[in-house]
Every structure is written in C-alpha cells, then in structure tokens.
Amino acid sequence: MKRLNKILIPTDLSEHSRRAIAYGLRLAAEDKGSLVVLHIANELNTWELSTEFEIYTGNYGQRWPLDRVVSEASLDLNNFLEPHLADLKQLPNVTKRVILGNVPERITSTAEEEKADLIVMSPRRNRGLRHWLGGGITDRVTRMSPCPVLSISQPLPSTPWRGKLAPIFFGWPKQRTVEI
C-alpha cells in the first residue's frame, strides 16, 4: 500500500467535519505523515448587518477588509481544533490554512499545491434541489481532485424492528405471519 505522506482535510467547522478530522488524524499517525487542515472562509461573512435606520439613510452595511475575514476564520479554526489538540501534537507536521474562494476549486488547488496524497472529507446527507442540480461539494471535489478522496459519512440510523410482522414458514402451502 502506498504511504500517505500528506493528508488534506478540508473543514467547514461543522460536526460533520469533526469525523473527517478524527479519521485523518488516525491515518496520519499510522503513516507518520503530515496533515494539512484547510478552512475556506465564507465571503458572505464580509458584510456587516445593517439596521433599518442605516438602510433608510442610505448608509448600508460596510464590507469587512479581507484580512479581517481571514483572521476571524483563523480564530474559528483554532477554536474548532482545540478538542483535537493532543492528537495534533503527536504528528510530525501539521499545517493550518485559511483561504477565501470557491470551495471545490480551492480544495483541489490546495491539494495540487501541497502535493497531497489523500483528501479526507465528511459530506452532509442533504439531498435537496441544490444537490440534485449540481451535486454536493464532496462530489465536485471527487471529480476535480488530483488525488484520491476519502468520503467519511455518518451511518444511517437503523429502523426499529420491534412490533413488525415477520413471516413464519412452518408448513408449505400455509404462509403465516406473526407479530413480534
């Protein structure tokens, strides 16, 4: 099996991406590889909200400078990684990167720049209209990626079987069911 020297883990700072971080940490620890944790800041956070008074006076919300957006996202990433700090310290090289831009394109370009051997992602399970039209972020990264993409998803909850009817076959032309 190929040794994983560098693993890229893109995160959106959600609980779904915690699963990808935990899995990527284990893979990097097994191969003594380096880890790159990537967060792509949302450009919509660059706008401050306006009050009704500011809208009526024509004084709309001001846009944040991009360095402030990146520094705020970097603080959020540090807070997100705090529970994993002990595991991160055991790895030989951990890099945190915060950038702005289109999410799938930035993930694949960072994978190329860093020469990543693997991208570990944890997709969400929403199958709405947006996913049907363009696919999810993980789907687009998988199609454009220069390296393999490992998708770690949460298992679906099992359906309860108590109280269902189960077939019983005790005789051949008689087929009966019994309630459990």
Side-chain angles (χ1 to χ4, degrees):
M1 186 171 134
K2 181 180 175 185
R3 186 171 185 272
L4 300 173
N5 293 325
K6 191 170 279 196
I7 298 173
L8 173 66
I9 304 175
T11 178
D12 60 352
L13 308 180
S14 69
E15 289 303 314
H16 293 279
S17 58
R18 284 201 190 278
R19 184 174 299 104
I21 294 237
Y23 203 88
L25 281 168
R26 282 181 288 198
L27 285 175
E30 284 177 10
D31 285 344
K32 306 254 188 291
S34 60
L35 193 68
V36 178
V37 180
L38 174 68
H39 175 57
I40 297 151
N42 190 352
E43 292 179 5
L44 294 177
N45 292 340
T46 63
W47 290 93
E48 290 184 6
L49 297 177
S50 301
T51 62
E52 288 182 24
F53 177 73
E54 291 173 339
I55 292 173
Y56 289 128
T57 60
N59 210 11
Y60 298 110
Q62 300 296 318
R63 194 174 171 160
W64 287 3
L66 293 180
D67 59 341
R68 180 176 175 190
V69 174
V70 170
S71 64
E72 289 285 330
S74 181
L75 283 173
D76 291 341
L77 180 60
N78 287 337
N79 290 338
F80 178 76
L81 291 175
E82 259 182 49
H84 306 284
L85 202 55
D87 296 329
L88 288 170
K89 287 183 179 180
Q90 293 176 358
L91 296 177
N93 187 13
V94 177
T95 307
K96 295 181 286 186
R97 290 185 65 180
V98 176
I99 52 179
L100 292 170
N102 186 2
V103 176
E105 292 173 5
R106 297 303 290 193
I107 291 172
T108 55
S109 66
T110 303
E112 285 179 19
E113 291 169 12
E114 295 283 340
K115 294 180 179 53
D117 296 321
L118 180 70
I119 299 175
V120 179
M121 298 182 75
S122 184
R124 297 181 180 170
R125 283 200 187 268
N126 53 356
R127 298 286 187 230
L129 183 63
R130 178 179 166 215
H131 180 78
W132 185 69
L133 291 175
I137 300 290
T138 306
D139 297 335
R140 287 186 271 168
V141 169
T142 303
R143 286 193 297 266
M144 299 181 341
S145 176
C147 62
V149 177
L150 179 62
S151 175
I152 308 294
S153 61
Q154 181 178 5
L156 290 173
S158 62
T159 56
W161 59 272
R162 294 279 182 205
K164 301 279 180 173
L165 295 176
I168 299 178
F169 301 105
F170 288 120
W172 180 64
K174 298 178 184 177
Q175 291 184 354
R176 293 182 280 171
T177 60
V178 68
E179 191 169 328
I180 300 175

